[in-house]
Amino acid sequence: MNLEGQLPALQIVVPLVIAPLVVLLRDAGLAWAAACVTSVMCLAVAVLQASGVLGGEVASYQMGGWPAPFGIELRVDAFSALILLVITGASTLSLLGGRASLAADIADSRQPLFYAAWLIALAGLSGIAVTGDAFNVFVFMEISSLATYILIAAGPDRRALTAVFKYLIMGTIGATFYLIGVGLVYMMTGTLNFADMEARIAEVSDQRPILVAAGFITIGLALKAAVFPLHVWLPNAYTHAPNIVTAFVAACSTKVALYVLLRFDFFVFQGNLEDHLIQFAGFMIPLALLGIVVGSAVAVVETDLKRMLAYSSVAQIGYILLGASFASVTGLMASITHMFNHALAKGALFLAVAAIGMRLSHLTLDGISGIARVMPWTMAGLAVAGASLVGIPGTAGFVSKWLLLQAAMEHGAIGFAAAAVVVLSSLAAVVYIWRIIERAWFGTPEAAESVVGVQEAPWPLLAVLWIAAAANIYFGLVPAVPLDLAASSADELLRHLP
Amino acid sequence: MELLGLFNYWVFAVLLMVGFYAVIAKPNMIKKLLGLSIFQAAVFLLYITMDKVEGGTAPIIQAGVVDQIFSNPLPQVLILTAIVVGISTTALGLAIVVRIFEAYGTIEEDETQSLDLEE
Amino acid sequence: MTAAFAIAAAILLPLAGAASIVLTGRSPNLRESVTLLTAVALAVIVGTLLPEVMDGGRPALNVATLLPGVSIAFTVEPLGMLFAMLASVLWIVNSIYSFGYMRANAEKHQTRFYVCFAIAIAATMGIAFAGNLLTLFLFYEMLTLSTYPLVSHKGDTTTVASARVYLGILLATSIGLLLPAMVWTYTATGTLQFEPGGIIEGHLQGPAVGLLLALFVFGIGKAAVMPVHRWLPAAMVAPTPVSALLHAVAVVKAGVFTVTKVILYVFGIDLLTAEPSSGWLLYMAGFTILAASIVALRQQNLKRMLAYSTIGQLSYVVLAAAVLTPLSEIGAAVHIVAHAFGKITLFFAAGAIYTASKKTELSQLAGIGARMPWTMAAFTIGALSMIGVPPTGGFVSKWFILAGAFQTDNYVALFTIILSTALNAAYFLPVVFAAWFGREAPGQKPHGEAPFPVVLALSLTALATLGFFFFNQPVLDLERQLVESLP
């Protein structure tokens, strides 16, 4: 019984088991500490798994000893490992730095419940990444979603409640669509295991239920992933959630839905449905482009910081989808690398916003006038993260943007138009990031009374922000690990194309 | 006739659309949650009816009985899980509605939207 | 000291200097000494690379590989060597000038100024030694970002608005045009490496070549080819040492350096000569020269006139590169140097005039030669260099460009150069005459020369401008290597 073999299961079991224990704790500080320790352990497990799959191996674990495809199999390959790093990394950083920010938003007596919900969300998201069974994905997806609803609604802002209600309705519809799709596939193939589905679906691929299933699954996951035009729940949910929760959720929740979408689509459908590649690309590329355009356009005119970054996320999700819809090695590499890099950049940006939120009450462009004079370290971290979002060379965002442009240009005429859209939205990103930076540094004096007496953010949050910002630069200059994982993932996903 | 033989799918489709309509069209949040429950119930029916084998019985092994045709147990198990998920979602949704009522004084979506916009 | 170490040191030393300046910010004298020491050390280190490059060697350094074919690597070749030496030597002079200027005008935020200056120089070294398009792009953006705080130094509303134009145009062109051009090059050829003779040959033909050239030339906004030139006049809100840096030491030089490098090492002379679709560059450069000169004629503000003069002079380099003959390529490289010396002298003089008398408009300069003889002598030398009159450096480069244009009977280039020389004379000479022979307006406050460091700096650069006319052989030898392979 070696530890390495148990890692996939540990990834889910550790947070899931500790969560109810955290509920029993009375003290808020203790609950936070327990959550942190758990998150760090999950991160360690994820790192171990990532190092294990760097060579291209796949870790497989059979739940309860039942052999696949009869039992539930946990399969960790390069793609899963990358997503796990994103999830656990975001959770750890947000928790480590977020104590003071969360304590300001949530009553002490409620905090143990909050941290328990956080751990359940962590378990759910990790579960989606490690499982190899389609229905299991549904279960974990709903576990993580329910926990996320609790996290978002935990803050003092009442608009979070209406935002969560909308998110709940839309998210449940999405999950239910996914469930219908899985049911139809099960009906036709008799299996729920991804690997097995892949083999069996070839026999029934020309029948209509499979096509319908593909449609339901795609729409359902698109709802969860906030693909345009099903993104309407995202801006409100991100804006009104407690700041640290936004940092965690923005970094990973939509990425995980896209992970499932890509996996299902490439493993199961692409190789087996004829013309599916064209249908997929024809459906996804316009939606991705629209998402990029609309997201960037609204972000440029927004004045509320969190809402601006939320719409920016809609555009970035468009990037990820665009890369994937090219269905080439470069395209998928761009897409998967961007999942990692965007999590780094957006996570760091929201952490910086959380830091500012600890000292100011209005997170708007006017509210942060001149704040860079009193919070220079925070704003410097925000500037680095903003540069990564824009894609300045030397930052992580540049690597994925390069790959995306390369994939677009390899794709022919449509690709050049797509490249133009990506470039224009990068310029839009320059504009909206620049507005924040310029206002913070060159803000006019009349708004400066709000910054009188404001100090720098508390050091744990600052430290975590700077770790994230430094990671942006590190992975911009030494992107070997994410690129290796992305390349393995892309190869694996494209293995099935005819 | 094919159509009649597929009537379970017709029921599923009708319930699905009824639920979906309620979710989209009704401004009252409780009604939305009701619609959501109907929506999910339609999916449960889809799974359960798909696994019924003609002439099959409940999938429990009885000692001494051989050559028994069973209905497929797997979708039934899946649906138990999905029902649990659905209940949790409904419970959470209702809790949120209670909180919304405490915070806004109304549970009509258009009214809460206008209150939100005023802020 | 190995060459690889020297390359790394050339970039790291100014950054280390920047850090030291932050630490010594409290004591101005110590801080200025750190700046000066770093500048001298940098010039020495860059100088150690010179012998090897003169001999034909190409020292290289590979730092990191991001993706296959996309890496951060440095290669020192003649053009880059020239640029690096120019920038490092002029940094010394500019620093001396800055000490005098910033103190005399009691500017605020001086530490931030010197720190950003050092970072900008580090970026310039990176651009000069870049071995492939990605490395160049990385340091090019670093240069834009590090010069922004310098341009917006004053911090008031108009300055910030103008600085926004500066940043906006440079970032928009680099991300919007240069980046796609780079990705397109990589997609077509599989590499971004600078190779003598270009990398595009055989991979792209016809209109695609012209289009790609357009993306590159307009994407390199720092070269100020019209219509992406607006940032240069907008950047005049900066303090004069910054203007000198922008116009002579680093920013615009980085722009035309990059354009020349792209023409020589990405496209290759042979490809561009063979492809008719790239002929538009000659006309665009010619248009920019003439249009800029005409606009300069109408300027009343001294610095704005110099800004438009720079736009014209930069396009001399682009024009020379676009003529595509060996002599004109040498002329392009030499003009980078000659213009640098001349323009920095002119800006130093403008700053000296402002420091001593707070005068900024041309109309106010009548008779100032009597009060500020050293300054105006330097200004005259600089103006003559811009016009291209012997015995100034500007004559040498103009000679080579004209000779190159003659080689291929390029009448467009010849005509442009002759006409623009006349226009340059038309807007510079009146200023010079008025300064020396004009009568000072009554009721002016009396003033003397600018402070000593200021005058020292501008005298040095004026001497260099003159000296370049006589002692230019090493530069010519270095640059002949650029065109060795051409007929």
Side-chain angles (χ1 to χ4, degrees):
Chain A
M1 169 114 142
N2 63 335
L3 184 64
E4 221 179 295
Q6 310 295 321
L7 285 178
L10 278 177
Q11 188 81 64
I12 317 171
V13 165
V14 165
L16 206 52
V17 162
I18 300 191
L21 298 177
V22 169
V23 175
L24 295 175
L25 294 170
R26 288 278 158 252
D27 181 54
L30 212 52
W32 170 80
C36 278
V37 169
T38 317
S39 193
V40 171
M41 284 201 287
C42 291
L43 180 60
V45 172
V47 170
L48 281 172
Q49 294 206 77
S51 52
V53 299
L54 268 177
E57 302 133 31
V58 175
S60 173
Y61 181 91
Q62 286 151 356
M63 269 299 187
W66 295 102
F70 304 110
I72 294 180
E73 186 195 6
L74 303 179
R75 263 179 91 81
V76 179
D77 63 0
F79 201 4
S80 322
L82 190 75
I83 297 294
L84 279 173
L85 285 175
V86 171
I87 298 169
T88 50
S91 166
T92 309
L93 281 181
S94 309
L95 276 177
L96 283 177
R99 169 108 166 88
S101 180
L102 288 167
D105 280 336
I106 305 166
D108 268 0
S109 56
R110 287 244 183 93
Q111 284 187 38
L113 294 169
F114 175 84
Y115 289 116
W118 186 293
L119 289 177
I120 297 177
L122 183 61
L125 290 168
S126 312
I128 300 176
V130 298
T131 187
D133 181 289
F135 189 79
N136 212 218
V137 167
F138 168 75
V139 172
F140 278 121
M141 195 156 63
E142 285 305 87
I143 292 177
S144 67
S145 293
L146 289 173
T148 309
Y149 304 149
I150 298 174
L151 292 179
I152 295 178
D157 192 346
R158 72 174 185 178
R159 288 169 296 180
L161 296 169
T162 43
V164 163
F165 190 77
K166 186 169 206 160
Y167 185 12
L168 185 145
I169 299 285
M170 290 185 76
T172 311
I173 294 179
T176 314
F177 274 177
Y178 174 80
L179 190 59
I180 297 174
V182 168
L184 288 170
V185 172
Y186 174 73
M187 209 190 312
M188 301 306 294
T189 61
T191 177
L192 291 168
N193 182 302
F194 279 124
D196 203 32
M197 232 185 249
E198 211 189 308
R200 293 207 195 181
I201 209 166
E203 303 151 19
V204 291
S205 61
D206 51 350
Q207 305 206 19
R208 197 169 301 158
I210 299 294
L211 205 55
V212 175
F216 270 118
I217 292 176
T218 308
I219 301 279
L221 291 171
L223 260 169
K224 285 277 186 192
V227 174
F228 185 91
L230 303 165
H231 66 288
V232 288
W233 57 265
L234 192 144
N236 278 332
Y238 281 19
T239 310
H240 302 303
N243 298 329
I244 296 290
V245 170
T246 314
F248 175 47
V249 168
C252 49
S253 65
T254 49
K255 318 282 179 311
V256 175
L258 284 169
Y259 159 84
V260 182
L261 180 62
L262 288 183
R263 214 193 252 294
F264 225 116
D265 203 79
F266 279 91
F267 267 27
V268 179
F269 295 126
Q270 291 280 27
N272 293 306
L273 294 179
E274 58 180 75
D275 289 341
H276 187 67
L277 198 55
I278 304 175
Q279 287 167 347
F280 183 66
F283 185 59
M284 284 302 171
I285 292 184
L287 286 184
L289 289 176
L290 277 171
I292 297 173
V293 169
V294 169
S296 306
V298 178
V300 167
V301 296
E302 261 299 331
T303 54
D304 181 298
L305 283 182
K306 291 179 77 178
R307 194 177 282 275
M308 176 199 295
L309 292 174
Y311 275 103
S312 165
S313 290
V314 173
Q316 302 285 324
I317 290 166
Y319 283 164
I320 298 176
L321 205 56
L322 187 66
S325 55
F326 289 134
S328 58
V329 174
T330 330
L332 278 171
M333 269 183 74
S335 180
I336 298 171
T337 318
H338 201 57
M339 289 190 194
F340 185 79
N341 292 332
H342 176 241
L344 276 177
K346 218 24 118 20
L349 276 170
F350 275 115
L351 283 173
V353 170
I356 300 176
M358 289 214 63
R359 301 295 186 223
L360 292 180
S361 49
H362 290 291
L363 286 171
T364 58
L365 277 182
D366 286 331
I368 61 167
S369 270
I371 193 127
R373 291 181 211 123
V374 284
M375 297 180 81
W377 288 102
T378 310
M379 286 314 298
L382 192 145
V384 172
S388 186
L389 193 71
V390 167
I392 303 278
T395 59
F398 176 73
V399 177
S400 40
K401 194 151 280 182
W402 175 277
L403 283 171
L404 186 61
L405 284 174
Q406 192 186 327
M409 293 207 183
E410 286 171 0
H411 204 71
I414 295 268
F416 276 95
V421 170
V422 170
V423 164
L424 282 173
S425 69
S426 305
L427 293 177
V430 171
V431 172
Y432 58 73
I433 293 292
W434 183 253
R435 280 161 84 222
I436 303 177
I437 293 184
E438 193 180 282
R439 203 62 80 93
W441 262 285
F442 295 110
T444 46
E446 62 257 21
E449 61 224 292
S450 64
V451 312
V452 165
V454 165
Q455 295 169 317
E456 192 47 277
W459 72 264
L461 191 49
L462 214 48
V464 158
L465 167 62
W466 268 96
I467 294 177
N472 270 298
I473 298 188
Y474 176 74
F475 285 114
L477 296 172
V478 190
V481 169
L483 280 181
D484 268 342
L485 290 172
S488 307
S489 320
D491 283 332
E492 183 67 22
L493 287 173
L494 286 173
R495 199 166 41 88
H496 313 289
L497 278 187
Chain B
M1 195 158 74
E2 265 306 312
L3 248 54
L4 284 180
L6 298 171
F7 85 95
N8 58 323
Y9 298 107
W10 286 106
V11 170
F12 154 68
V14 167
L15 275 179
L16 197 76
M17 288 302 111
V18 166
F20 196 50
Y21 173 77
V23 169
I24 300 177
K26 297 290 175 190
N28 184 302
M29 292 183 181
I30 302 282
K31 290 189 185 172
K32 281 185 192 283
L33 286 174
L34 281 175
L36 202 61
S37 296
I38 298 174
F39 186 78
Q40 291 179 310
V43 180
F44 303 158
L45 278 177
L46 172 72
Y47 269 71
I48 298 175
T49 53
M50 89 164 86
D51 78 11
K52 167 76 178 167
V53 174
E54 188 138 343
T57 176
I60 302 171
I61 295 184
Q62 291 166 324
V65 181
V66 294
D67 259 357
Q68 182 67 276
I69 302 181
F70 296 113
S71 293
N72 190 342
L74 182 59
Q76 303 184 8
V77 169
L78 297 181
I79 285 314
L80 279 174
T81 315
I83 290 177
V84 169
V85 171
I87 290 181
S88 325
T89 311
T90 312
L92 185 61
L94 288 170
I96 293 177
V97 172
V98 169
R99 288 275 305 275
I100 291 180
F101 186 69
E102 286 170 9
Y104 286 87
T106 170
I107 55 171
E108 300 289 323
E109 197 179 37
D110 37 14
E111 287 175 30
T112 55
Q113 259 179 3
S114 42
L115 282 171
D116 276 344
L117 284 171
E118 280 167 28
E119 265 186 56
Chain C
M1 165 173 317
T2 64
F5 180 76
I7 298 174
I11 299 171
L12 293 173
L13 181 66
L15 290 176
S20 316
I21 296 171
V22 172
L23 293 172
T24 58
R26 295 258 169 248
S27 45
N29 289 331
L30 195 55
R31 181 188 65 202
E32 326 300 33
S33 317
V34 168
T35 306
L36 200 52
L37 240 86
T38 317
V40 173
L42 180 65
V44 169
I45 290 180
V46 172
T48 61
L49 288 167
L50 190 57
E52 192 172 338
V53 180
M54 291 282 268
D55 278 339
R58 300 284 176 263
L61 172 67
N62 197 313
V63 173
T65 306
L66 294 185
L67 296 161
V70 181
S71 61
I72 299 183
F74 301 100
T75 311
V76 184
E77 43 77 51
L79 195 61
M81 186 75 240
L82 185 68
F83 184 31
M85 283 247 59
L86 180 71
S88 51
V89 166
L90 286 180
W91 187 21
I92 303 176
V93 185
N94 203 328
S95 301
I96 300 174
Y97 183 84
S98 305
F99 302 155
Y101 183 94
M102 299 300 272
R103 290 189 184 200
N105 287 302
E107 294 272 358
K108 298 182 305 216
H109 300 302
Q110 288 194 31
T111 308
R112 180 178 84 191
F113 174 87
Y114 288 112
V115 167
C116 291
F117 222 100
I119 299 177
I121 297 290
T124 312
M125 293 296 129
I127 295 176
F129 291 148
N132 57 45
L133 277 170
L134 179 73
T135 317
L136 195 138
F137 185 64
L138 172 66
F139 287 103
Y140 185 94
E141 296 296 64
M142 193 170 133
L143 185 61
T144 307
L145 292 174
S146 60
T147 47
Y148 174 81
L150 294 172
V151 174
S152 64
H153 187 91
K154 286 208 178 66
D156 59 39
T157 333
T158 30
T159 311
V160 171
S162 297
R164 202 185 301 150
V165 173
Y166 173 81
L167 191 69
I169 295 185
L170 287 181
L171 279 182
T173 49
S174 61
I175 296 181
L177 298 170
L178 184 55
L179 181 61
M182 282 167 57
V183 180
W184 187 4
T185 310
Y186 180 73
T187 314
T189 66
T191 177
L192 292 172
Q193 196 73 12
F194 287 131
E195 299 286 344
I199 50 177
I200 298 210
E201 187 130 29
H203 295 278
L204 285 179
Q205 294 91 7
V209 174
L211 180 60
L212 186 60
L213 185 64
L215 284 178
F216 269 113
V217 171
F218 293 116
I220 303 172
K222 294 195 172 102
V225 177
M226 288 189 176
V228 295
H229 66 286
R230 286 287 294 128
W231 61 270
L232 200 49
M236 287 300 98
V237 293
T240 308
V242 176
S243 303
L245 170 74
L246 257 56
H247 289 247
V249 183
V251 176
V252 300
K253 294 285 168 259
V256 286
F257 167 79
T258 310
V259 170
T260 315
K261 199 135 186 190
V262 163
I263 289 181
L264 286 175
Y265 292 101
V266 173
F267 285 90
I269 304 260
D270 295 329
L271 177 67
L272 289 177
T273 321
E275 280 290 350
S277 64
S278 52
W280 63 268
L281 185 58
L282 189 73
Y283 299 100
M284 207 60 222
F287 172 76
T288 305
I289 295 173
L290 294 176
S293 304
I294 294 176
V295 177
L297 266 177
R298 300 173 58 239
Q299 294 305 312
Q300 292 305 315
N301 179 289
L302 178 59
K303 281 175 74 173
R304 279 187 89 90
M305 182 189 89
L306 293 177
Y308 280 100
S309 165
T310 300
I311 297 175
Q313 296 285 327
L314 289 177
S315 281
Y316 271 142
V317 178
V318 179
L319 181 79
V323 167
L324 299 173
T325 60
L327 284 176
S328 72
E329 299 302 330
I330 298 179
V334 172
H335 196 62
I336 292 181
V337 178
H339 173 252
F341 285 139
K343 209 27 117 5
I344 203 173
T345 311
L346 287 169
F347 268 105
F348 280 171
I353 293 173
Y354 176 76
T355 307
S357 65
K358 296 286 178 268
K359 290 181 183 164
T360 56
E361 308 301 302
L362 294 176
S363 50
Q364 298 169 319
L365 297 182
I368 204 165
R371 292 203 180 273
M372 305 178 73
W374 286 100
T375 307
M376 281 320 294
F379 187 94
T380 310
I381 295 174
L384 290 177
S385 184
M386 290 295 118
I387 301 171
V389 176
T392 59
F395 176 73
V396 181
S397 53
K398 210 160 248 183
W399 175 268
F400 272 95
I401 304 176
L402 282 170
F406 256 125
Q407 263 189 325
T408 51
D409 292 332
N410 195 325
Y411 293 115
V412 174
L414 285 171
F415 173 71
T416 309
I417 296 172
I418 295 171
L419 182 56
S420 60
T421 308
L423 286 171
N424 287 347
Y427 61 76
F428 269 121
L429 290 181
V431 181
V432 173
F433 281 146
W436 288 112
F437 305 118
R439 192 177 293 272
E440 196 175 324
Q444 295 279 353
K445 265 187 353 185
H447 63 88
E449 265 292 5
F452 176 67
V454 169
V455 176
L456 174 65
L458 53 88
S459 308
L460 285 174
T461 55
L463 270 171
T465 314
L466 284 175
F468 193 63
F469 179 76
F470 300 103
F471 303 110
N472 50 46
Q473 200 54 36
V475 172
L476 289 177
D477 284 339
L478 185 62
E479 297 315 310
R480 270 187 227 285
Q481 289 187 35
L482 270 181
V483 294
E484 244 146 34
S485 51
L486 297 173

